[in-house]
Amino acid sequence: MVGLLLEPYKRSLRARLIAHPRFYFFDTGVLNALCGRLTAKINPVLRGKLFEHFVILEVFRKLNYMRDESKLFYWRTNHGAEVDLLIEKHGEIRLAIEIKTNSRLGGRDLSGLRAFANEHPNTQLVVINTQPQAYEIDDIKILPYHDFFNRLPDWLN
């Protein structure tokens, strides 16, 4: 329980073995302490990274609590397109998730989800953010993090 290894999503098992997993400490406070920034002012980039870290850990915890069989991955192409979190259940990607703290989302913020949707057209696309209201851009749901966590069990059934 020191942390979580998030494996890359690749269709072939061989490709998964070559790609590098990402490591998330079990607590963002521990992460900040180890990095020597407990009292440091949080800049926007760091805030985004900490929020992403928090959401991924909470998804992992919620799935464990629900005793759900879902697996977590991230996705990145060799061209730089990226999706922060994928939730796979029974061999099917159920959700592709971007995690953002920006108040305004632009095309660049959604480019990873759109690239993933080109390869996996039946996947639900979601952006989790800190804004108070849910809305949609094209077929992408933009949800406050608390709404996302409330809806997560419905997406996995």
Side-chain angles (χ1 to χ4, degrees):
M1 288 305 292
V2 171
L4 163 69
L5 272 180
L6 194 61
E7 298 290 335
Y9 179 77
K10 304 282 184 189
R11 289 185 188 206
S12 104
L13 184 57
R14 184 175 180 186
R16 282 186 197 183
L17 293 173
I18 294 170
H20 299 287
R22 293 181 177 173
F23 183 79
Y24 293 87
F25 278 101
F26 73 97
D27 184 278
T28 56
V30 171
L31 174 64
N32 280 337
L34 290 172
C35 293
R37 30 176 213 241
L38 279 175
T39 59
K41 191 169 183 147
I42 297 178
N43 64 48
V45 173
L46 180 57
R47 181 175 184 255
K49 290 181 185 288
L50 289 172
F51 183 65
E52 178 181 323
H53 198 110
F54 163 76
V55 168
I56 289 171
L57 291 175
E58 288 305 306
V59 168
F60 175 74
R61 287 181 185 125
K62 186 152 183 121
L63 294 176
N64 262 346
Y65 179 75
M66 294 169 31
R67 298 193 188 284
D68 193 88
E69 298 173 340
S70 297
K71 296 177 183 175
L72 302 177
F73 298 95
Y74 76 93
W75 181 76
R76 182 175 170 89
T77 68
N78 50 357
H79 301 295
E82 183 176 323
V83 175
D84 295 328
L85 185 63
L86 301 175
I87 301 179
E88 178 193 63
K89 186 169 185 177
H90 304 141
E92 174 190 346
I93 299 294
R94 299 287 180 94
L95 293 168
I97 302 165
E98 268 300 307
I99 304 164
K100 300 290 182 193
T101 55
N102 334 13
S103 58
R104 290 191 179 157
L105 296 175
R108 185 175 178 205
D109 296 316
L110 306 175
S111 62
L113 287 174
R114 289 183 175 134
F116 188 81
N118 287 336
E119 291 185 26
H120 304 86
N122 297 323
T123 303
Q124 178 70 56
L125 307 176
V126 178
V127 175
I128 301 172
N129 69 9
T130 56
Q131 297 305 304
Q133 297 295 323
Y135 59 99
E136 284 191 31
I137 298 176
D138 301 326
D139 289 334
I140 302 172
K141 293 186 182 329
I142 316 298
L143 296 173
Y145 64 93
H146 50 82
D147 286 357
F148 169 79
F149 286 117
N150 289 335
R151 294 174 67 171
L152 182 59
D154 296 332
W155 274 318
L156 300 177
N157 289 327

